[in-house]
Amino acid sequence: MRRRRFLLRTAGLTGAGALALNGCGTGGDGKVTLDLLVASYDKSVGASIGDQWDDVAKAFEKKHPDIRIAVERVPFLKIDATLARRVKDGRPPAIAQGNVFAPYAEDGRLHPVDDLFAIPTQADFITSFSDAGKVDYVQYGIPILASTPRLFHNKALFQRAGLTGPPGDWAELLTAARALKESGVPTPYALQFGPESAEDELLAWLLAGGGGYSDIGGYDFASAENEATLTWLRDELVAPGLAGPDPAQLTRTRAYADFLAGRVGMLIAHPVLLAAATKARLSYGDAPFPRKDGEAAPPVGLNDWMMAFKDGGPAAEAGKFLTFLFSRGSAAAYGAGQTTLPVTVSGSEQLRADTSQRALWPFVDQMPEAEFHPVGLRSWPTVRAAVRERIGRAVVRGGRPADVLQALDRVGRSSA
């Protein structure tokens, strides 16, 4: 996801100038400079706030002429590695965007949110997102660029297969998949267990089956509920060819492209698909992902994280910028359109009142119930990599879900 790079312009400085080697310095003009490290999105996944960091910085500087924001952009796939290297080299930015915050919080490197925001600003964040940003009950991760998926279906393919609407439970999903298969749809349900985002697809299914990733303070992959869910996927969807030729290699990008091309009947997808489907003139619908026995399953919550480094700059100046970033006015001016969702109550209310954003309303409405990956655990990046590598093996013909789930628990324990 994100952008350009801001590099140190001088070297070998001492005194006040040396402060700029970290994320904050005071220039000759008396201004405090905050380094802001953000990610750049490619155009296929782009989000407005990712495109508008310079505008946000300029608008903030106009209100706070004593603070300068130095924007440094790096490609999304390199953001975590770049940030880790900067921290290791003793050059943390004042504020950074990334996918990982727990290790920095555990090492005492981050300002807690209590030191950055006034209580009214903190209270405006959607509770489920705030809770996901906590380590040991203290919030350090600040959510941004949120999303939550829903079950999309191709209305034209459904009509051709004699189906009238989205499935309300797994039995109906299976019936729909079989009807789609019989009508010639190559991939009735696109099971995205490929290396790009398998952890998202997996969590949606596990939550719908009554399980999940973790218990209090650790992982619980090898639960009876999780094993039953993967066994059902293996036997009911994958074995009969209802989930495409090779779910273990199916990436999100490929699944979305196949859906837009009319080769997929159903899939879990994010709001980014809305505009693309409209542009493709595809007749589609979206609905909550169903629990096994009916009703809506807990939705998956996803987002990036902002964090403020103690060695990068003072909490007061960092807090002023972050407060501006999440203010109601900034949300209106730099809203993310049909790609990501607001993380604040006021931003959600604003979007919910905008009839031009009606397609996003169901996504916004389910966000307060969202459940997240265990991002507050230091080991999660390692476990996430193991999920992407191994989970496809659980659902292939002859796959052993219990063995795969137990192996993931061992990865979690060994990397804790």
Side-chain angles (χ1 to χ4, degrees), residues 231-296:
T231 300
W232 189 91
L233 287 172
R234 181 195 65 189
D235 297 343
E236 303 295 341
L237 276 188
V238 177
L242 302 178
D246 190 1
Q249 297 302 317
L250 183 60
T251 64
R252 175 183 293 167
T253 300
R254 176 63 184 271
Y256 284 17
D258 285 350
F259 182 76
L260 294 173
R263 293 190 292 268
V264 166
M266 298 176 283
L267 82 170
I268 295 175
H270 290 269
V272 69
L273 192 59
L274 294 171
T278 300
K279 185 177 180 180
R281 297 182 178 180
L282 187 73
S283 178
Y284 68 91
D286 61 81
F289 194 71
R291 292 182 186 270
K292 183 175 183 177
D293 296 322
E295 299 186 353

Side-chain angles (χ1 to χ4, degrees), residues 329-408:
S330 294
Y334 311 109
Q338 290 188 345
T339 51
T340 62
L341 305 171
V343 296
T344 60
V345 174
S346 62
S348 297
E349 290 173 346
Q350 219 168 357
L351 189 151
R352 198 64 175 75
D354 184 353
T355 55
S356 70
Q357 301 290 340
R358 188 181 298 274
L360 285 176
W361 291 357
F363 294 86
V364 171
D365 291 346
Q366 72 179 34
M367 284 176 60
E369 307 303 320
E371 297 195 20
F372 293 78
H373 303 303
V375 292
L377 297 177
R378 188 185 194 105
S379 57
W380 170 241
T382 301
V383 174
R384 179 183 61 190
V387 169
R388 292 178 175 180
E389 178 187 354
R390 304 181 187 193
I391 199 59
R393 304 173 193 172
V395 296
V396 297
R397 188 180 298 275
R400 298 175 62 87
D403 291 352
V404 173
L405 292 169
Q406 290 167 11
L408 292 174

Side-chain angles (χ1 to χ4, degrees), residues 66 103 196 261 265:
D66 56 330
E196 182 182 343

Side-chain angles (χ1 to χ4, degrees), residues 163 165-177 266:
L163 302 167
D169 58 31
W170 291 9
E172 291 181 3
L173 189 149
L174 184 58
T175 297
M266 298 176 283

Side-chain angles (χ1 to χ4, degrees), residues 40-92:
S40 61
Y41 295 90
D42 63 40
K43 293 182 179 179
S44 66
V45 190
S48 296
I49 193 69
D51 296 335
Q52 298 186 44
W53 281 114
D54 289 335
D55 294 337
V56 174
K58 289 176 183 177
F60 172 78
E61 291 169 351
K62 188 174 181 179
K63 282 195 170 187
H64 301 272
D66 56 330
I67 304 175
R68 178 185 293 115
I69 305 298
V71 180
E72 174 185 353
R73 296 183 177 91
V74 297
F76 169 69
L77 294 178
K78 297 181 179 180
I79 187 69
D80 292 330
T82 300
L83 179 58
R85 184 172 62 251
R86 288 278 299 270
V87 172
K88 183 178 179 181
D89 292 345
R91 301 186 299 111

Side-chain angles (χ1 to χ4, degrees), residues 80-318:
D80 292 330
T82 300
L83 179 58
R85 184 172 62 251
R86 288 278 299 270
V87 172
K88 183 178 179 181
D89 292 345
R91 301 186 299 111
I95 302 169
Q97 178 186 358
N99 299 295
V100 176
F101 66 87
Y104 305 121
E106 289 186 6
D107 292 344
R109 296 182 179 275
L110 300 181
H111 292 295
V113 166
D114 287 348
D115 293 346
L116 299 169
F117 296 117
I119 291 176
T121 303
Q122 289 188 58
D124 194 30
F125 285 98
I126 295 172
T127 302
S128 58
F129 284 79
S130 295
D131 288 345
K134 293 179 178 179
V135 173
D136 293 332
Y137 306 102
V138 177
Q139 186 182 353
Y140 297 94
I142 306 162
I144 192 171
L145 301 179
S147 186
T148 179
R150 288 169 63 82
L151 180 65
F152 281 66
H153 68 281
N154 183 315
K155 288 185 175 181
L157 296 182
F158 264 53
Q159 184 176 15
R160 192 175 75 188
L163 302 167
T164 58
D169 58 31
W170 291 9
E172 291 181 3
L173 189 149
L174 184 58
T175 297
R178 289 169 175 165
L180 290 164
K181 180 77 170 179
E182 291 174 2
S183 68
V185 177
T187 303
Y189 179 86
L191 184 64
Q192 301 157 55
F193 272 2
E196 182 182 343
S197 56
E199 71 276 11
D200 301 339
E201 177 86 18
L202 175 62
L203 182 56
W205 278 99
L206 297 187
L207 291 173
Y213 279 172
S214 58
D215 56 13
I216 298 175
Y219 297 96
D220 188 23
F221 282 100
S223 68
E225 294 82 2
N226 291 350
E227 182 181 351
T229 293
L230 290 179
T231 300
W232 189 91
L233 287 172
R234 181 195 65 189
D235 297 343
E236 303 295 341
L237 276 188
V238 177
L242 302 178
D246 190 1
Q249 297 302 317
L250 183 60
T251 64
R252 175 183 293 167
T253 300
R254 176 63 184 271
Y256 284 17
D258 285 350
F259 182 76
L260 294 173
R263 293 190 292 268
V264 166
M266 298 176 283
L267 82 170
I268 295 175
H270 290 269
V272 69
L273 192 59
L274 294 171
T278 300
K279 185 177 180 180
R281 297 182 178 180
L282 187 73
S283 178
Y284 68 91
D286 61 81
F289 194 71
R291 292 182 186 270
K292 183 175 183 177
D293 296 322
E295 299 186 353
V300 176
L302 300 173
N303 56 272
D304 289 359
W305 299 99
M306 302 297 289
M307 60 203 96
F309 285 84
K310 292 179 178 179
D311 292 341
E317 280 77 7

